[in-house]
Amino acid sequence: MNDEDLRLAPRTKAAELLAWAEAEGRAPVAAEPLRAVLALLELGEGRMRDGWPELTSDAVEQLLYERLHLYVQPAPEQDPLAYGEAVRLLIDHQRAVKRLNAKRQERLHAEAEWQGEVAAGLLRRADLVTWPRLYALLLHAHGVDVADAAAVREWLTAFRELSGEERRAGFEALAEAGWLDELDEEGWGPARTLSVGMATDGARRLLEQGLMRRSYRNLAELTALGRPMPDELAGDFGAFEEAAAEAALDLCGAWTVPGLPRMLLAEFPDLAPEPGQEEIDAYLAQLPPE
């Protein structure tokens, strides 16, 4: 598979943006949140121009209010406000290279500031987590070395041995210890598990679609250069979908714990169930009538 032709994973200009900020004498912005912001903007519905996302109010809102909490889980030492700071840095850079006028810069800056604060709050809401985000929090809370895949797998294996009640208590302890805000009275019951699984599946599929759109944009460039269509797009579309799914898992891991989303999906699906329509229908059928 020729990744250069498919060009699924975003190749953000984070390094260029960080170098510009340093040359301008600006306060440093954390690199990981910046890379996540640039990648999610590129994979959203907004337009790209010369490798930079075109910034609009809709693009900023979609990123900070609708998408960010689906994917990123800051490590304990990371400031969740860094994502809003990254957007503001990008806004100022785009103004400096004359892609925004002063009025739009000011408006977008204000929007990114308050929506960045909203995004930081959304990242604390237990009712908005996905399985990779939730287990990333658990791993950090239990002091697991998240850079060690074997240690992560060992902890997940031990967590699997706990009873369902003990696992739910582990989820609840995140709020008690201040890692997440408190849930409502429903707690971590079946409905919550169902919603987390649905959110996880939906977020990953949304990311896969963004990756495929990005690849099709690259295909248009290849066609304009007279180059042949990659095999994965010329015939074996299943291979293309599989490549997009793998790239999505890699990105989800980069934004939570490397390798964790793939482990949960392939090795520990019982710890991170993603219900199908049959499971959803069965749950709805046992609810009392309104």
Side-chain angles (χ1 to χ4, degrees), residues 120-283:
L122 296 178
L123 289 171
R124 290 191 53 83
R125 283 180 49 176
D127 61 328
L128 294 179
V129 295
T130 57
W131 289 126
R133 288 192 54 221
L134 182 63
Y135 279 97
L137 280 167
L138 283 167
L139 290 164
H140 288 306
H142 285 84
V144 179
D145 180 2
V146 295
D148 184 344
V152 171
R153 184 175 286 106
E154 181 180 356
W155 186 90
L156 289 171
T157 301
F159 194 69
R160 171 187 267 165
E161 297 301 315
L162 301 178
S163 68
E165 183 177 347
E166 289 172 319
R167 291 199 296 269
R168 286 193 296 274
F171 298 155
E172 292 165 359
L174 290 172
E176 296 166 3
W179 291 82
L180 288 173
D181 293 337
E182 293 284 349
L183 271 173
D184 55 27
E185 63 278 0
E186 182 183 296
W188 287 98
R192 186 73 60 201
T193 300
L194 193 75
S195 67
V196 174
M198 292 172 63
T200 302
D201 176 71
R204 190 176 61 252
R205 293 182 187 277
L206 186 66
L207 194 59
E208 291 171 10
Q209 292 167 10
L211 288 163
M212 287 191 283
R213 281 197 306 271
R214 184 186 192 282
S215 192
Y216 282 126
R217 287 198 298 267
N218 178 59
L219 174 61
E221 297 173 7
L222 293 177
T223 303
L225 293 172
R227 294 183 58 185
M229 184 181 294
D231 291 341
E232 293 81 7
L233 296 178
D236 190 1
F237 187 73
F240 177 49
E241 289 184 311
E242 183 178 343
E246 291 297 311
L249 286 171
D250 288 339
L251 279 175
C252 289
W255 299 331
T256 53
V257 169
L260 174 63
R262 183 174 280 104
M263 283 188 203
L264 293 174
L265 188 65
E267 302 177 45
F268 300 93
D270 52 320
L271 295 184
E274 297 182 14
Q277 192 58 51
E278 184 177 344
E279 290 86 353
I280 295 171
D281 290 342
Y283 172 77

